[in-house]
Amino acid sequence: MLKSFNNQKQNWPFLLALLILISPLNGCSEDDTDAGFTSDFSYSFIDDNNVQFTNESEGEYLRMNWDFGNGQTETTTSKTQSYDVYYPVAGDYDVNLLVIGFDGEQKSASKKVNIATTDFAISFTAEPDGSNANLINLENTSDGNYDSFQWEYRNKIVADETNTAAYFPYAGTYKIELIITKNGETYTTTKNVTIANDDPDHFSRLEMVWSDEFDGDAVNSDNWTFETGSGGWGNNELQNYTNAANAEINDGILTITAEKVNDNKVPGSYTSTRIITSGKQEFTYGRMEIRAKLPSGRGIWPAIWMLGANIGNVGWPACGEIDIMEYVGYQPNTVHATVHTSAGSGGDGSGSSKTLNTAEEEFHVYGVFWTEKEMVFYTDSPENVTHRYAPSNKTSDNWPFDKPQFFILNVAVGGNWGGAQGIDNSIFPQMMEVDYVRVYQEM
């Protein structure tokens, strides 16, 4: 026994060293890792509805996720950043701070914050109108003080009207949103309303919001810009568009004249006019009507049309093109209406034609009734439909028509379509006469 004890005593230095090496490993428990940081925060009232939150967590950790209980959240790596949070409505709010360590460990702290008073509460009513089932009467019933508010529905914005009537001409379910602004922050609430039937009087309810009656002695520069130059205009056309030389106004009629310069039938052999309302008069939805008398003869190509105002950003045909009326002289008494989009353009555009026996001899109204549901092209009255465009599943490719468009009036000569059967040089000069351009919209 003594020998054995002595032998163990001699091994004590070795055993002690081994114990020192093993002890730290045995001491690294999960609880010791968690002890590396804590999660905590404090808060104080700035006033009855504004609360400041301060991080009180300790130790080494990676980041913090705040949830202030009112829909506002923040993620930060700053340990010293405090937050001033606004609670407009009285009530109890559960605030949580989640602290995340470098090794993924998470610790949270939660506290209930009581707001005793209501500064403002956002709310509104939406009730069907008793005399018109397509009208919804809106009232802003929000409590308290705020800076401004607006209604949003059907791509419309109505600002600072406590009571207003929202018009929904077509059957369906629609979202109405009330947006309130206070101290630079916005607060929203929404309701859905269901309309049972289309409004049969939608067309007649529209009111004129803009027109050019061409009553002056020159083209109104507040409405129109002359686009000038040659270069084919994307269709191998042969005319050179001039600055006012081929346009005149007399007795309330705008006359665009296409003239022959020489018989060569090459670019520059003809002059004409192209005017646009881009940046001056642009519209989304409505009833657009143009009363005009058309030129005649093989090789002539007048057009009354619209282009998306965003063409400079997205290009053609993504901007969308609405050809209210096109006419090629080698097909007399046939008017065309076409829609061009990314889903179908050029020869693949969506269009139709209509016989109009006095298109060259008499003035006619060329119109489009453009809503968020469809486009209906017509001559003289909406019953005389030329073309209807209404994709059932609207996408950005087939329906870029929820954005503003501008007008274009022009008379081209030749080109891929207008010159498909050549040009008769004996027809010149040729005129398109325009009595007015009018736009009707919901008020």
Side-chain angles (χ1 to χ4, degrees), residues 316-320 340-345 396-398 400:
W316 183 92
C319 66
H340 299 274
T341 67
S342 296
S345 60
S396 58
D397 284 341
N398 66 25

Side-chain angles (χ1 to χ4, degrees), residues 203 354 376-386:
F203 185 91
K354 185 180 185 66
V376 180
F377 298 82
Y378 57 91
T379 56
D380 295 323
S381 71
E383 292 76 25
N384 298 322
V385 175
T386 306

Side-chain angles (χ1 to χ4, degrees), residues 6 37 109 153 159 232 351 361 382 412:
N6 288 336
F37 65 89
Y153 56 90
E361 294 80 22

Side-chain angles (χ1 to χ4, degrees), residues 82-155:
S82 60
Y83 293 93
D84 295 343
V85 180
Y86 175 55
Y87 296 89
V89 180
D92 290 328
Y93 296 86
D94 293 319
V95 181
N96 180 264
L97 173 62
L98 179 67
V99 179
I100 303 170
F102 289 96
D103 57 359
E105 294 290 337
Q106 298 182 1
K107 293 187 176 183
S108 65
S110 297
K111 297 182 182 181
K112 191 179 295 292
V113 177
N114 175 259
I115 303 298
T117 63
T118 293
D119 189 26
F120 91 87
I122 182 171
S123 64
F124 70 93
T125 60
E127 301 294 336
D129 187 272
S131 61
N132 185 343
N134 295 91
L135 285 178
I136 301 294
N137 294 318
L138 304 179
E139 181 179 4
N140 178 10
T141 55
S142 302
D143 291 330
N145 298 316
Y146 44 86
D147 300 325
S148 62
F149 68 93
Q150 65 185 37
W151 306 96
E152 290 191 9
Y153 56 90
R154 285 186 61 225
N155 206 36

Side-chain angles (χ1 to χ4, degrees), residues 126-266:
E127 301 294 336
D129 187 272
S131 61
N132 185 343
N134 295 91
L135 285 178
I136 301 294
N137 294 318
L138 304 179
E139 181 179 4
N140 178 10
T141 55
S142 302
D143 291 330
N145 298 316
Y146 44 86
D147 300 325
S148 62
F149 68 93
Q150 65 185 37
W151 306 96
E152 290 191 9
Y153 56 90
R154 285 186 61 225
N155 206 36
K156 295 171 70 74
I157 297 175
V158 179
D160 296 325
E161 290 190 15
T162 300
N163 295 278
T164 189
Y167 178 52
F168 299 92
Y170 297 110
T173 299
Y174 301 87
K175 182 177 77 171
I176 301 173
E177 186 172 20
L178 174 63
I179 303 172
I180 284 183
T181 301
K182 180 179 176 67
N183 298 328
E185 299 290 335
T186 58
Y187 305 87
T188 68
T189 187
T190 63
K191 292 181 186 289
N192 289 328
V193 297
T194 298
I195 303 299
N197 300 297
D198 293 351
D199 182 2
D201 299 320
H202 185 201
F203 185 91
S204 60
R205 290 184 190 278
L206 305 185
E207 299 182 25
M208 191 163 67
V209 296
W210 175 78
S211 75
D212 196 327
E213 307 291 329
F214 303 111
D215 290 332
D217 55 8
V219 173
N220 187 345
S221 60
D222 290 337
N223 295 333
W224 305 93
T225 299
F226 285 92
E227 284 197 306
T228 61
S230 53
W233 295 89
N235 298 294
N236 295 310
E237 300 164 20
L238 303 182
Q239 77 285 341
N240 177 33
Y241 287 130
T242 65
N243 188 353
N246 292 69
E248 61 179 357
I249 292 179
N250 288 302
D251 299 325
I253 300 294
L254 165 68
T255 301
I256 295 175
T257 302
E259 298 182 341
K260 181 182 68 174
V261 177
N262 56 54
D263 290 317
N264 298 333
K265 299 182 181 180
V266 297

